[in-house]
Amino acid sequence: SAVISQKPSRDICQRGTSLTIQCQVDSQVTMMFWYRQQPGQSLTLIATANQGSEATYESGFVIDKFPISRPNLTFSTLTVSNMSPEDSSIYLCSSGWTSKDTQYFGPGTRLTVL
Amino acid sequence: AQKVTQAQTEISVVEKEDVTLDCVYETRDTTYYLFWYKQPPSGELVFLIRRNSFDEQNEISGRYSWNFQKSTSSFNFTITASQVVDSAVYFCALSVEYGNKLVFGAGTILRVKS
């Protein structure tokens, strides 16, 4: 299975600042996904990031708030901009799954906004 | 649109009891993929199973078993002889395109008491 790592694993940030989360996959993947899990809630897809094209955002998520980069087939970043306490969540990146893979979620970034 | 319903918000059992977690899905696609994930308190998502829509065979893996019934659009998960280490949040998820994004259910919190 692909190994997915995320940085940072956790962070505490001040309101109004921005945080960029990095996601690295140990093999080339076409699609990468960013999910948000608010406290006590399920996972919600923020956007799909394909290399060489703009990210596709789900309803309720906008590029100005969650800009995404996908510079190559193994790496992506998600920025949480102008943060507020409501952005406190776990952010998880994921690669497109295949029948050979069993683990295609990163370990998550636990973000707390004060 | 796709939807996954996990009607059980929280289940508490005593160790060694059997427990079934329910999952009902909705999709108009004839080909789809169903998943179960475990999320322990540490927050990482642990893959448990993936099932294709054209494979209705039930599966058993140790103390875990899954019952897939297309007629009722259900994909239920049973833990036999539960253990304290099974305490976690369990998510059922659906994907309608190979390798693509997942739609998650709300999750079921399982508490196993000794």
Side-chain angles (χ1 to χ4, degrees):
Chain A
S1 295
V3 176
I4 303 174
S5 59
Q6 285 185 236
K7 290 182 185 179
S9 59
R10 58 177 63 229
D11 207 341
I12 301 173
C13 300
Q14 295 298 318
R15 181 196 300 259
T17 62
S18 298
L19 176 72
T20 295
I21 303 168
Q22 300 178 9
C23 179
Q24 180 77 51
V25 186
D26 71 346
S27 59
Q28 294 184 338
V29 293
T30 304
M31 289 185 285
M32 292 180 74
F33 307 92
W34 287 97
Y35 292 83
R36 180 178 74 179
Q37 186 178 23
Q38 295 178 299
Q41 303 296 315
S42 184
L43 283 81
T44 301
L45 182 67
I46 298 172
T48 301
N50 291 332
Q51 195 265 337
S53 62
E54 295 234 346
T56 302
Y57 289 81
E58 298 296 305
S59 177
F61 297 96
V62 294
I63 188 172
D64 290 346
K65 176 67 175 177
F66 298 102
I68 288 172
S69 78
R70 183 79 201 274
N72 57 53
L73 291 174
T74 64
F75 187 78
S76 178
T77 67
L78 169 75
T79 299
V80 187
S81 302
N82 188 24
M83 289 184 286
S84 66
E86 292 70 37
D87 294 319
S88 298
S89 299
I90 299 174
Y91 292 86
L92 298 102
C93 73
S94 171
S95 64
W97 57 273
T98 73
S99 58
K100 298 179 184 177
D101 294 331
T102 59
Q103 192 60 28
Y104 23 84
F105 280 89
T109 296
R110 193 179 294 266
L111 171 62
T112 301
V113 183
L114 303 177
Chain B
Q2 298 81 45
K3 185 178 180 182
V4 177
T5 301
Q6 294 180 256
Q8 303 151 309
T9 303
E10 184 169 339
I11 302 175
S12 290
V13 299
V14 177
E15 216 171 10
K16 298 185 183 178
E17 284 186 13
D18 298 347
V19 58
T20 296
L21 282 62
D22 298 333
C23 173
V24 174
Y25 61 91
E26 296 176 32
T27 179
R28 293 185 178 180
D29 297 83
T30 55
T31 299
Y32 50 88
Y33 308 85
L34 296 164
F35 301 76
W36 274 96
Y37 281 91
K38 174 182 180 180
Q39 188 176 45
S42 58
E44 81 270 23
L45 281 177
V46 179
F47 170 91
L48 295 178
I49 190 172
R50 175 183 56 244
R51 175 62 69 202
N52 305 330
S53 57
F54 43 87
D55 182 3
E56 276 195 83
Q57 201 168 16
N58 293 330
E59 181 150 341
I60 298 175
S61 176
R63 296 185 296 109
Y64 296 168
S65 62
W66 290 269
N67 182 275
F68 177 26
Q69 291 196 335
K70 291 177 75 170
S71 60
T72 56
S73 298
S74 64
F75 186 43
N76 297 337
F77 172 35
T78 297
I79 301 175
T80 303
S82 60
Q83 299 176 1
V84 173
V85 293
D86 295 327
S87 297
V89 182
Y90 290 86
F91 291 100
C92 180
L94 167 70
S95 180
V96 296
E97 188 175 337
Y98 185 87
N100 214 315
K101 60 186 179 184
L102 273 62
V103 174
F104 284 83
T108 296
I109 301 171
L110 175 63
R111 302 189 196 279
V112 182
K113 303 174 184 177
S114 58

